[in-house]
Short mmCIF file of all heavy atoms in Angstrom, two decimals:
data_model
loop_
_atom_site.label_atom_id
_atom_site.label_comp_id
_atom_site.label_asym_id
_atom_site.label_seq_id
_atom_site.Cartn_x
_atom_site.Cartn_y
_atom_site.Cartn_z
N ASN U 359 77.21 50.33 83.50
CA ASN U 359 78.08 51.46 83.20
C ASN U 359 79.19 51.61 84.25
O ASN U 359 80.36 51.79 83.92
CB ASN U 359 77.21 52.72 83.19
CG ASN U 359 77.70 53.70 82.19
OD1 ASN U 359 78.79 53.52 81.63
ND2 ASN U 359 76.93 54.75 81.94
N ILE U 360 78.77 51.52 85.52
CA ILE U 360 79.73 51.68 86.62
C ILE U 360 80.81 50.61 86.55
O ILE U 360 82.01 50.90 86.65
CB ILE U 360 79.00 51.58 87.98
CG1 ILE U 360 77.94 52.67 88.11
CG2 ILE U 360 79.98 51.60 89.13
CD1 ILE U 360 78.48 54.04 88.37
N ILE U 361 80.38 49.37 86.35
CA ILE U 361 81.34 48.27 86.34
C ILE U 361 82.31 48.38 85.16
O ILE U 361 83.50 48.14 85.27
CB ILE U 361 80.61 46.91 86.30
CG1 ILE U 361 79.81 46.72 87.59
CG2 ILE U 361 81.59 45.75 86.12
CD1 ILE U 361 78.90 45.53 87.57
N SER U 362 81.77 48.80 84.00
CA SER U 362 82.61 48.80 82.81
C SER U 362 83.48 50.05 82.69
O SER U 362 84.34 50.13 81.81
CB SER U 362 81.74 48.66 81.55
OG SER U 362 80.91 49.79 81.42
N LYS U 363 83.22 51.02 83.60
CA LYS U 363 83.94 52.30 83.48
C LYS U 363 85.46 52.09 83.51
O LYS U 363 86.20 52.74 82.78
CB LYS U 363 83.50 53.22 84.63
CG LYS U 363 83.77 54.66 84.36
CD LYS U 363 82.79 55.60 85.07
CE LYS U 363 82.72 55.39 86.56
NZ LYS U 363 81.80 56.37 87.21
N TYR U 364 85.90 51.16 84.35
CA TYR U 364 87.35 51.00 84.52
C TYR U 364 87.90 49.81 83.76
O TYR U 364 89.01 49.36 83.98
CB TYR U 364 87.69 50.90 86.01
CG TYR U 364 87.22 52.13 86.76
CD1 TYR U 364 86.16 52.07 87.65
CD2 TYR U 364 87.83 53.37 86.52
CE1 TYR U 364 85.71 53.21 88.29
CE2 TYR U 364 87.38 54.51 87.16
CZ TYR U 364 86.32 54.43 88.05
OH TYR U 364 85.88 55.56 88.67
N MET U 365 87.10 49.26 82.85
CA MET U 365 87.62 48.16 82.02
C MET U 365 88.50 48.74 80.92
O MET U 365 88.18 49.76 80.32
CB MET U 365 86.46 47.38 81.39
CG MET U 365 85.76 46.43 82.34
SD MET U 365 84.25 45.73 81.61
CE MET U 365 84.94 44.44 80.58
N THR U 366 89.64 48.08 80.67
CA THR U 366 90.51 48.54 79.59
C THR U 366 89.97 48.04 78.25
O THR U 366 89.08 47.18 78.21
CB THR U 366 91.94 47.99 79.76
OG1 THR U 366 91.86 46.56 79.67
CG2 THR U 366 92.51 48.38 81.11
N ILE U 367 90.54 48.58 77.18
CA ILE U 367 90.10 48.17 75.84
C ILE U 367 90.33 46.67 75.65
O ILE U 367 89.49 45.96 75.11
CB ILE U 367 90.83 48.99 74.77
CG1 ILE U 367 90.30 50.42 74.80
CG2 ILE U 367 90.64 48.39 73.39
CD1 ILE U 367 90.97 51.37 73.85
N ASP U 368 91.47 46.18 76.10
CA ASP U 368 91.76 44.76 75.96
C ASP U 368 90.74 43.90 76.70
O ASP U 368 90.30 42.87 76.21
CB ASP U 368 93.17 44.44 76.48
CG ASP U 368 94.21 44.76 75.43
OD1 ASP U 368 93.79 45.02 74.27
OD2 ASP U 368 95.41 44.79 75.75
N GLU U 369 90.39 44.38 77.90
CA GLU U 369 89.39 43.63 78.67
C GLU U 369 88.06 43.59 77.95
O GLU U 369 87.39 42.56 77.87
CB GLU U 369 89.22 44.27 80.06
CG GLU U 369 90.29 43.84 81.04
CD GLU U 369 90.17 44.57 82.37
OE1 GLU U 369 89.69 45.72 82.38
OE2 GLU U 369 90.57 44.01 83.37
N LYS U 370 87.68 44.76 77.39
CA LYS U 370 86.40 44.82 76.69
C LYS U 370 86.40 43.94 75.45
O LYS U 370 85.35 43.47 75.00
CB LYS U 370 86.09 46.27 76.29
CG LYS U 370 85.65 47.14 77.46
CD LYS U 370 85.33 48.55 76.99
CE LYS U 370 84.87 49.42 78.15
NZ LYS U 370 84.62 50.80 77.73
N ASN U 371 87.59 43.76 74.85
CA ASN U 371 87.67 42.91 73.66
C ASN U 371 87.52 41.44 74.00
O ASN U 371 87.21 40.62 73.13
CB ASN U 371 89.01 43.13 72.94
CG ASN U 371 88.95 44.37 72.07
OD1 ASN U 371 87.87 44.86 71.75
ND2 ASN U 371 90.12 44.89 71.70
N ILE U 372 87.77 41.10 75.26
CA ILE U 372 87.74 39.68 75.64
C ILE U 372 86.52 39.34 76.50
O ILE U 372 85.89 38.31 76.32
CB ILE U 372 89.03 39.31 76.41
CG1 ILE U 372 90.24 39.55 75.51
CG2 ILE U 372 88.99 37.84 76.84
CD1 ILE U 372 91.54 39.48 76.23
N HIS U 373 86.17 40.26 77.42
CA HIS U 373 85.08 39.96 78.34
C HIS U 373 83.89 40.88 78.10
O HIS U 373 84.03 41.98 77.61
CB HIS U 373 85.52 40.21 79.80
CG HIS U 373 86.74 39.46 80.17
ND1 HIS U 373 86.79 38.09 80.20
CD2 HIS U 373 87.98 39.90 80.53
CE1 HIS U 373 88.01 37.71 80.57
NE2 HIS U 373 88.76 38.79 80.76
N GLY U 374 82.75 40.39 78.54
CA GLY U 374 81.61 41.29 78.68
C GLY U 374 81.57 41.76 80.12
O GLY U 374 82.53 41.55 80.88
N VAL U 375 80.47 42.41 80.51
CA VAL U 375 80.32 42.81 81.90
C VAL U 375 79.66 41.66 82.65
O VAL U 375 78.52 41.30 82.36
CB VAL U 375 79.45 44.09 81.99
CG1 VAL U 375 79.26 44.48 83.44
CG2 VAL U 375 80.09 45.20 81.20
N ALA U 376 80.44 41.09 83.59
CA ALA U 376 79.94 39.89 84.26
C ALA U 376 78.72 40.21 85.11
O ALA U 376 78.57 41.31 85.64
CB ALA U 376 81.05 39.30 85.14
#
Side-chain angles (χ1 to χ4, degrees):
Chain U
N359 214 350
I360 299 286
I361 295 171
S362 64
K363 200 151 55 178
Y364 302 109
M365 283 171 80
T366 63
I367 289 177
D368 278 350
E369 278 175 331
K370 285 181 179 177
N371 279 342
I372 299 169
H373 305 297
V375 178

